[in-house]
Structures are given as structure tokens and as C-alpha cells.
Amino acid sequence: MEAKANGPSVNAGRVMDGPTNPMVTPLLTDLYQFTMAYAYWKAGKHNDRAVFDLYFRKNPFGGEFTVFAGLEECIKLIANFKLTEEEISFICETLPGSCEEGFVKYLRNIDCSDVEVYAISEGTVVFPKVPLLRVEGPVAVVQLLETPVLNLVNFASLVATNAARHRLVAGKSKMLLEFGLRRAQGPDGAISASKYCYIGGFDATSNVAAGRFFGIPLRGTHSHAFVSSFMSPDEILERSLHRSDGSSTCEDFVSLVQSWLSKIQWSKALGNSVGETNQSELAAFTSYALAFPNNFVALVDTYDVMRSGVPNFCAVALALNDLGYKSVGIRLDSGDLAYLSGEARKIFQIIEKEFELPGFGKTSITASNDLNEETLDALNKQGHEVDCYGIGTYLVTCYAQAALGCVFKLVEINNQPRIKLSEDVSKVSIPCKKRCYRLYGREGYSLVDIMTGENEPCPKVGERILCRHPFNESKRAYVVPQRVEELLKCYWPGKSGKVREELPALKDIRDHCIKQLEQMRPDHIRRLNPTPYKVSVSAKLYDFIHFLWLNEAPVGELQ
Amino acid sequence: MEAKANGPSVNAGRVMDGPTNPMVTPLLTDLYQFTMAYAYWKAGKHNDRAVFDLYFRKNPFGGEFTVFAGLEECIKLIANFKLTEEEISFICETLPGSCEEGFVKYLRNIDCSDVEVYAISEGTVVFPKVPLLRVEGPVAVVQLLETPVLNLVNFASLVATNAARHRLVAGKSKMLLEFGLRRAQGPDGAISASKYCYIGGFDATSNVAAGRFFGIPLRGTHSHAFVSSFMSPDEILERSLHRSDGSSTCEDFVSLVQSWLSKIQWSKALGNSVGETNQSELAAFTSYALAFPNNFVALVDTYDVMRSGVPNFCAVALALNDLGYKSVGIRLDSGDLAYLSGEARKIFQIIEKEFELPGFGKTSITASNDLNEETLDALNKQGHEVDCYGIGTYLVTCYAQAALGCVFKLVEINNQPRIKLSEDVSKVSIPCKKRCYRLYGREGYSLVDIMTGENEPCPKVGERILCRHPFNESKRAYVVPQRVEELLKCYWPGKSGKVREELPALKDIRDHCIKQLEQMRPDHIRRLNPTPYKVSVSAKLYDFIHFLWLNEAPVGELQ
């Protein structure tokens, strides 16, 4: 499968493909990154070695977990980070004042060969304060990366988390379809939502472009307009349909459908309750079945689900069955989904019995129409017969919380640790180039994440270690890990010579995410009052943070 | 200015540039549009002449108006709508079952030459139920357009409306900057937000890519990381600065700043209240001023706004003033913005007097930090001294309401009017190919929008016309318009030979939007309890809607 739009041609000969969206270039950044680059360059500081952490402060959607996503696109940006001459001219025209020739030369030469990126694997369940990415390199270059990397991680992680939350409430057995393209925040708000919803546990998308870019399974049937574009079955000119096995041809499939419809209408088992159905709907269903006899799915709510849509669907499905085809199911897009799915299920079961059609009772029921976590939860509580959900607006726009607040903070420059203070303790940054570990307990669940200074020894299996809350001195606990996982791996070694972690295939990221969620202690991921997962620092790092904090903070004067 | 990413190369020789984002191709659609196209083709109905209306049902953000945007991108998509061979192969692999050769040939030939698009001008203030776009053409092709056109209009109109609402509460005199790139929903969630916020009345963006694509003014200075990347002024090696007029050079600007700082620290007018300021901050400000002496803006809240940031800014600004440079101002990114802006203003005014610096009291104060409509409103109520707002997350993600619900409904096929029924009256569609007018009253304000059948006479100035609510029989009013504006204009004539309306420049769309908002009666656009604007149908259309409705709706049976 061809899976990429072409990146800017200047990047030909690059070590890996560019970002999916060709609009992701070094100009996709805030102007102040360029003004700062100029100021750093003027001050001769542009090559100062800086370390930045990318992290968030609070899990989204009132939950206690986040799925990290967006890494692959970040690495593709970094691998291809190079300004074109046109871009450089534009920057020079845009910077206030005149731009010195030396700076133009500098811009011409910058790339990410001297940058190192450590990151948590994409699809991992992550928590506040722990760096998702650690980016190290010349300060001016790393700052240019700040904005695009935040842009690529923030929405990706937000929507992957949203998808994972929808999966958790829907349950493993349901099919989940992402239907968000028409309401998403722009074209790649949609395309990237499709990608990251798949990572978060969705099964397929309606978005053809996303299917092509990423190889995500595609699903889709027909709309209300299709139904209302027909007037009556008389319109259908080509009425023949081969049997499924090719052995013969039914010359008038339309009449076969009509005859089944009248059997349904006169069926005692159905209580003689089926009256006249809508003929334009019947024509649309019949036409759709003629086009896709192996994949007949009908949208049954254009006129009236129980009085028209479901009987019309059953008539067409029974006619298809005569010719050896198995229908897929119906879609409900309005009304009381719990009630209607239950009523439709009853009809399918009666027909299975009445017309001896084994399996027809299990005909698939898809529900759509402004679904979200809350409505799925409400459906579960009421009881329903839905097998598959099509979820759009609330999923892809992350309607319940439309942004994740990842930040990118300087933690070290020229080997000097830096701290960002704030009146609000939750906004104080954790200084130093760090290592991060996840410690697992006896039951296989992860117990705590711990950050240490870069040169501290790695926590060891079976050895007791003190884990401290970074800012609350009374919160600390000893842990004896049964397994220790180092979280940050080298995804972009620059010229350091370190081994570069491979970027996994999308399917593998998805599998990793699903496995990760299965390994979480259930109380951390439940919807109602989830337990916060513990994030800690080593005793040594704790002491250093507080030493630095006192050192930097001005002593107040009460007047 | 070069203003475009390149569209797909297959579109070379096209009549106009392709969409800004090259990912906007005919594949950016729901799979069901292609399955329906196949089913229409199989049924021989693919060329049935269909008319679809694109409209929304409810204004966003609890308001009573919406700014229509996204038209230009739609027309660019339509003008370049052509499937490539690779795209066709992908569709054929993806459609369930085998894809007939005749359909492949059909796909190869489709374009929008037989499609006509009528639309309201981009940037116009619009209301529920009135078609923003009317798309007419072969049913299969128009349905393929449904999803991308909805995608391109929904977010564009939502974010333009959000921007306009922020402008209304901020007031005309304030400078509004869009700072949303890092938190936006993906790369072109950001780029398109920059474009449509500009249309909605913002003055500039921080997003360099958006500046380059669209020619939007760019703004940006420096971040907290820049401040904390410096240790002390000793680091600054290149200390000389030419006078603004080039007449001489100050060899040690750093010392000049230091001497001004001590004057400030010992100033009686400032109450001897300024103690030691942070030296890394002073170094950063000095460096930034050396790089941009004509555009010195300082972010003053890294350590302590009043005890460090403002005095350090003033010291650098006074030193710049000695050399003939006028500083721009400060940015506040945390804390109590009303209070801090007021305190900073006082200091600027004292310095203006004390050091005889005319105009210094008016030094610009920019505020940022999670601003939205509510916080702007609260600042207004408290009183503040902010001149300029930098607004990000809440603006570009439309946090208060992350999606607009535009729909695309079939209103006519082969000259037969179609209606989409629903249990919910607000979801019943208005059938027929229509004309739409805006009627203006004596005071120049618009009074009502009215939809008529296509062949009804146009409402005339000075002639009484009955305007009816489309679904509520008791709501109707006579209007004598002083001006009549036809809303829908032909933006894509296909091969009809009609004159094509030109797509205006972005700046003109913005001016149109601002003018439109000025022409609205204030109670329609106010934040609190706005008055709904009236949308009506002609008496003739009213009668026809209700005739068709009764005709299509099944008669219920109470059991």
C-alpha cells in the first residue's frame, strides 16, 4: 500500500519519509522561535547545549491516564528538518529589522544532526509530569522544534486517549468505527484523528484518505440521501442477480424482494403488524443489495425504523439469502437506540425461527448519531442489542475537552540544571536531564513511574527503592519492583552514534496500546473516580529540585 | 508572496490552484460516498440531477450568529476534482466485492464540470436553516463532494465565529493575536485556524506557516525558556549597539542598562521599592534588545513581574531610548492580568514623568495565558490596562464548542422536491431548489432572511412581503424591505455558462466580515441572551413544505 503524501521535494535523499502532511515544515512554528534563534545567534549562544522535556500536567477527560501518540510524525519532521531558500527568505523578510547575512548562512546550515530525541514508545499509557519526549541539542534548533512537536503530540495523544476511553466503555466485543471526517477540525484534524483513533483501539474508519495513508480498515454503506433519492422499485431497470455460487441467475430480484416483503407483512409470528412500508426506501435497499450482495447493510431510519426500515431490510435480506448471500446488518442513526436495537433484534430472531434462517437472529446492528462516552455508558446501563458503534463528532474533535496541555520546558543548559518556577506548584518544572522508569509489582500491574538524575543507578528488580512525590514532602513510599522498564528510548540519535529505536508499524502501535491498557490496574482507568497513578522522583532528585527551587525563588517581603 | 502548497501534480493545467492542504483530494471523503456512487451507477441513476443544501441548524457558542467561512477551499477542491489512477485503484480494491470495469471508466471521467455551486459570500454573517452552499449536479458526484465540503466549511465557520466573538468582547481598539499552533488539532487545525481567525477579526498570528500561506501579519517575541537560558549579563560578549540614526555607537550597552537599572532602583518616585532583579532575566532582555532594538518586547513573568520583570524591562527600554530606540512593550503570561497590567501601567507612567520620556506611559501591555471570551469579559468588568491579547487554545480548538453541525441534505432530484423527515421538527429539511434573500430595514440593519422557491419573483424594495416561520404556522410577519440582497451567488458554474463570482482576497473577506458584524442589530450579537435573528420562507414555499410533509409522513396507529 502506498501510504504517504510526498514531503517537500527539498527533502529528497532524506533518511526517512517526511511527515504525512506536507504542510509540516520547519515554518510550522511560532514566529518567536525564529526571533529567539536570531537573538541567540546575535548573543553567540545558539549552540549552547539545551535539554527540553515535553510533558503534560493533567490527564484529559477527567481521567487518570493518557495514551501517548504522535511520536512517528515528530521523528519524521526531525529527520527532514531543513529550511529551503524560499523559507529562509520569508523568515528574513518577516523578522523585525534587518537580518544579518551571517544569520542567513546559519539558517541555511541548520538541521537536526546534532539533536538527540529520547521518547516513550508511541501507544504507551502515560501520566502527568513524566517526559514523553526529551529533546537535546543546540538551543536555537531545539526551540524551533518546540512548537511543531507540541502540535504533533498534543492532538495525537488527546484523540488516542479519547478513542481508548470509548473502547473501554464500549467493551472489547464491540466493533468501533470512526465516522468523524465531516465534523473534524479541518482535513488533517480528520485524517490524524482516524490514525490516532485506530491506535487507541478503534477498528476502522469511514475516511478513505486515512485508509489510504495508513492502511486503516475502511467501512461505510449509504446515507439518508441515497434512500430519498429513489422514488419506487419501478425505477430499477437492471433487476437480475447471479446466485452467490454463480450457478444461476435470478432475473427479477426486485420481485423476489416484493414477495418476501408480503410474506413478512402476512406473517403471524410477526403479529400481522407490518403494514405498508416506504417504497422509495425499499427501492434504495434493493438497489444497494444489487450492487453489494455480499455486503448488504441498510440504514433503516429514514422514514420509520420499525414500520418501514426493518421490514424492508428483512425482505431484501431474505431475498439475498435465497440466492446464497448472507446480509450484514442494519444501521440506526436516530431515535432511542437501546429500544430500537432491542426491537430489531426481536424481529431478527422471530424471522430466524419463522423462516428457518440459522444465524439471522445475530444480524449485526450498528448505531450512530452523536454518540460519546456518556451515551455508550447509558446504553450499557439500559441494555441494548447494538454490535457496532459509528462515532464521529464527539470522538474526533475531543468535544469533552478539545485540547491537551503538553508543554516543552528547558531543564538543563550547558549542563546547568534549570527550573521554571510558578506561583502554582503544579506548574513548577522538574529540572535536570533525567531517566524515567516504570516499576511493576507482583501482579504484573505497574505500580509507579520514577524519575532519576541521568547518572543515578537504575532501579533494580527485587531491590527496595524510595519513591518520592516531587513536590509534596510527606508523600513517599518504598517499592520493591518485580520488573523495571526504562521508559525513554533513543528515537533520534543525531550524530551521537547511539542506536536508533525503530518506528513500529501502526498496527503494532495499536497492539501495544491495547496491551498497555490491559496491564493497567482497573481502578486507574475506570470512568468514575479513577485512582491517580503515582509519579515519583528518586530521593536524590527530590533533594536537588528543592535545593534549586530555594536558590532561584526570590524571598518575599511582606509590607 | 508565494501563498500555496502545491496541490497534487495531476491537477496541473487546472483552472485555479488546488486547496491549501494537498491532503484535500477526492479521497478525503467517507467510504459510503463511493459505495453509493457504485450503487447509483449499477442502478443507472448516477447522472440523476440532484440539488443539495449545506446548512446548520443551531448557532454555536450559545450565540445567535455564525460567520460563514471555508468557501474558497471548497471551490478550489471542486475546480480540481479529479481522481488519479492510483486513487481509482485504491477505491476499487476497497469497495466490497468486485468492481466492474464500466465503473472504473466512470470514475476516470468524473469531475465537476457538470456541477453548479451557489454560495453565500465568505465572511458573511449567517443563520440556521439558510443554505450556505447549494450544490447541484449528477447525484453520484455531488455526494462524493458532501464530506469534504462539510469538513472544509464546518471548522472554518466555527473558528471564524469564535474569533469574531472574541473580537466583539475585546473591543475594536485592542490588538488580537492568535497564538494557537501548539495546542491546535493537528497541523492544519492550526494553519486553518490562523486563516479563519484572521477573517473573524484577529490582527495577526504567531504561526509562521500560516503567515506564509496566506500573508497574515506575524507576531512573536520570546519565551520563558529564552529567559532562563541566560545566567547573567556577563555572558553577553557582543555589547555594542549603534544609535538608531547610525550617528554613533554605544560600546557597552550592557553597562548602560545596568546604570539605568540602578537609577530605577534608587528612584524616589518609584518609592525605592525596587530591589535586586533577576540577573538571568536582565541578561535575556538585554540580549533580545541587542538583536531587536526597534522591536523590544519583554516577557516579564518568568520570575516576578513587579519585582523583577517590569524593572528589568524599564532599564533596557530606558537604555534603548538613550540610543534613539522606542521600545514596544511587555507581555504578561500568568497571574492576575487585571492587577498586574494596572501596576505595570502605573510604573510606566511614573517613569514617563520621572525621566521625562513622553509616551512611555503608553507602553504596550500584551496579555496571554489561557484567555477566552469569559476571561476577556471578566477583565473588562474588573478594569485593566491590557492593549493586546495573545489567545491560543480556547480560540483555535473552539474549546467551548468543538464542532459545528453543518449538514448536507438532498432537496431535489430530477426536479422532484425531496424532504427529510424527523421526529424532531428542527431536523426536518426544507425541500426544493431555493433562492435566499436578506431584507434590510430603514435603519440599515438586516431584518430577516427569506427563502423562496426558485421561480418565485424576487422580493422588491418598498413592496410588502409575508415572511413565515418554516415550521411554526403562528409565526409570520409582513416586511417592507428598504434593501434586498440575494444571498446565493454562483461560485462554480460548471458548464452552465453562467458568470462565475470571483473569490476575493483574504483581506477583503476579513473586511467584509467586520462590516457585516457592524451592520447587525446589536442585540443579535451580544453575549448575554442575544435575540434570535429571523429566518423565514415565502408563503408559497411554506404551503409546499407542509403539503410534501403530509404526503411523505406515515400516519401513525395508536395501539
Side-chain angles (χ1 to χ4, degrees), chain A residues 208 218-221 288 291-292 295, chain B residues 30-39 41-42 87-100 103-104 107 144:
Chain A
V208 182
L218 284 163
R219 288 288 180 285
T221 54
Y288 199 81
F292 299 108
N295 283 275
Chain B
D30 287 312
L31 181 66
Y32 78 2
Q33 311 292 9
F34 282 108
T35 57
M36 285 191 280
Y38 185 70
W41 177 83
K42 281 285 284 183
E87 288 168 345
I88 292 170
S89 307
F90 181 77
I91 294 158
C92 292
E93 286 161 28
T94 303
L95 286 183
S98 63
C99 189
E100 290 178 39
F103 184 64
V104 174
L107 289 179
L144 287 175

Side-chain angles (χ1 to χ4, degrees), chain A residues 1 20-24 27-36 38-40 42-43 45 52 86-87 90 94-97 143 146-147 150-152 154-155 181-191 206-209 211-213 218-226 228-231 235 238 280 287-288 290-292 295 302-303 307 331 369 393 396-399 401-407 409-410 413 416 418 420-421 427 552 554-557, chain B residues 1 20-24 27-36 38-40 42-43 45 48 52 86-87 90 94-97 143 146-147 150-152 154-155 181-191 206-209 211-213 218-226 228-231 235 238 280 287-288 290-292 295 302-303 307 331 369 393 396-399 401-407 409-410 413 416 418 420-421 427 552 554-557:
Chain A
M1 170 156 314
T20 303
N21 187 341
M23 295 168 93
V24 180
L27 290 198
L28 189 74
T29 199
D30 288 311
L31 181 65
Y32 79 0
Q33 312 291 9
F34 282 108
T35 57
M36 285 191 279
Y38 186 70
Y40 283 131
K42 281 287 282 182
K45 271 180 74 71
F52 283 79
E86 291 71 27
E87 287 168 345
F90 181 75
T94 304
L95 287 183
Q143 289 230 236
E146 173 179 15
T147 320
L150 282 171
N151 178 277
L152 292 169
N154 264 324
F155 179 58
L181 172 52
R182 66 189 55 200
R183 301 277 169 82
Q185 297 203 350
D188 79 355
I191 292 172
S206 67
N207 181 337
V208 182
R212 182 158 182 250
F213 277 124
L218 284 163
R219 288 288 180 285
T221 54
H222 65 82
S223 69
H224 295 117
F226 183 81
S228 49
S229 76
F230 285 81
M231 295 291 173
E235 281 179 84
E238 176 54 53
S280 74
S287 278
Y288 199 81
L290 284 166
F292 299 108
N295 283 275
T302 306
Y303 298 100
R307 284 189 291 172
R331 177 159 74 97
N369 188 28
T393 312
V396 303
T397 65
C398 299
Y399 205 91
Q401 181 184 325
L404 180 65
C406 282
V407 295
K409 293 290 170 195
L410 180 70
I413 190 157
Q416 299 289 319
R418 301 305 277 161
K420 161 79 177 74
L421 303 182
K427 286 190 164 186
E552 295 272 346
V555 183
E557 258 177 66
Chain B
M1 169 155 314
T20 303
N21 187 343
M23 295 168 93
V24 179
L27 290 199
L28 189 74
T29 198
D30 287 312
L31 181 66
Y32 78 2
Q33 311 292 9
F34 282 108
T35 57
M36 285 191 280
Y38 185 70
Y40 283 132
K42 281 285 284 183
K45 269 181 75 72
D48 282 12
F52 283 81
E86 292 70 28
E87 288 168 345
F90 181 77
T94 303
L95 286 183
Q143 289 233 234
E146 173 181 15
T147 320
L150 282 170
N151 177 279
L152 293 169
N154 264 322
F155 179 59
L181 172 51
R182 64 189 56 199
R183 300 278 169 81
Q185 297 204 351
D188 80 355
I191 292 171
S206 68
N207 182 338
V208 183
R212 184 159 181 246
F213 277 122
L218 285 162
R219 286 290 179 282
T221 55
H222 65 81
S223 69
H224 295 117
F226 183 80
S228 50
S229 76
F230 286 81
M231 296 291 172
E235 280 178 86
E238 176 55 50
S280 75
S287 279
Y288 198 80
L290 283 165
F292 299 107
N295 282 276
T302 306
Y303 299 101
R307 284 190 290 169
R331 177 159 74 97
N369 188 28
T393 312
V396 301
T397 66
C398 299
Y399 206 92
Q401 181 183 324
L404 180 65
C406 283
V407 295
K409 294 290 171 195
L410 180 71
I413 190 157
Q416 298 291 316
R418 302 304 277 160
K420 160 79 179 75
L421 302 182
K427 288 190 163 185
E552 294 275 344
V555 183
E557 259 178 64

Side-chain angles (χ1 to χ4, degrees), chain B residues 397-456:
Chain B
T397 66
C398 299
Y399 206 92
Q401 181 183 324
L404 180 65
C406 283
V407 295
F408 192 78
K409 294 290 171 195
L410 180 71
V411 295
E412 195 173 293
I413 190 157
N414 294 334
N415 297 314
Q416 298 291 316
R418 302 304 277 160
I419 190 168
K420 160 79 179 75
L421 302 182
S422 174
E423 304 268 317
D424 178 355
V425 172
S426 74
K427 288 190 163 185
V428 173
S429 65
I430 298 177
C432 301
K433 187 166 167 179
K434 296 178 283 290
R435 287 176 183 267
C436 306
Y437 305 92
R438 184 159 294 175
L439 310 184
Y440 291 82
R442 276 184 212 290
E443 292 171 57
Y445 293 130
S446 53
L447 297 174
V448 61
D449 285 5
I450 184 167
M451 295 175 263
T452 74
E454 208 211 356
N455 297 318
E456 290 186 57

Side-chain angles (χ1 to χ4, degrees), chain B residues 372-534:
Chain B
N372 59 23
E373 264 193 83
E374 278 65 41
T375 48
L376 298 189
D377 192 45
L379 280 169
N380 288 344
K381 284 175 182 152
Q382 288 167 73
H384 64 86
E385 288 291 337
V386 175
D387 304 293
C388 172
Y389 295 106
I391 310 183
T393 312
Y394 291 96
L395 174 69
V396 301
T397 66
C398 299
Y399 206 92
Q401 181 183 324
L404 180 65
C406 283
V407 295
F408 192 78
K409 294 290 171 195
L410 180 71
V411 295
E412 195 173 293
I413 190 157
N414 294 334
N415 297 314
Q416 298 291 316
R418 302 304 277 160
I419 190 168
K420 160 79 179 75
L421 302 182
S422 174
E423 304 268 317
D424 178 355
V425 172
S426 74
K427 288 190 163 185
V428 173
S429 65
I430 298 177
C432 301
K433 187 166 167 179
K434 296 178 283 290
R435 287 176 183 267
C436 306
Y437 305 92
R438 184 159 294 175
L439 310 184
Y440 291 82
R442 276 184 212 290
E443 292 171 57
Y445 293 130
S446 53
L447 297 174
V448 61
D449 285 5
I450 184 167
M451 295 175 263
T452 74
E454 208 211 356
N455 297 318
E456 290 186 57
C458 171
K460 284 186 189 57
V461 170
E463 277 185 22
R464 202 170 78 144
I465 180 169
L466 182 62
C467 298
R468 298 201 64 163
H469 185 288
F471 302 114
N472 184 332
E473 65 176 341
S474 68
K475 289 191 178 174
R476 62 232 147 115
Y478 284 108
V479 173
V480 181
Q482 300 305 303
R483 182 155 77 85
V484 174
E485 179 185 18
E486 177 147 23
L487 290 171
L488 292 171
K489 294 170 191 162
C490 182
Y491 279 91
W492 184 253
K495 58 190 180 195
S496 70
K498 287 169 198 154
V499 175
R500 172 153 69 85
E501 203 71 27
E502 286 301 314
L503 293 172
L506 189 64
K507 185 75 173 62
D508 296 333
I509 298 172
R510 181 175 185 271
D511 292 345
H512 175 61
C513 175
I514 292 169
K515 210 174 140 196
Q516 280 268 314
L517 286 164
E518 285 169 355
Q519 283 179 357
M520 290 298 302
R521 222 174 60 200
D523 60 312
H524 292 309
I525 57 173
R526 70 183 173 210
R527 268 170 56 75
L528 198 64
N529 295 331
T531 314
Y533 180 84
K534 288 188 177 58

Side-chain angles (χ1 to χ4, degrees), chain B residues 56 315 365 556:
Chain B
F56 61 90
I365 300 175

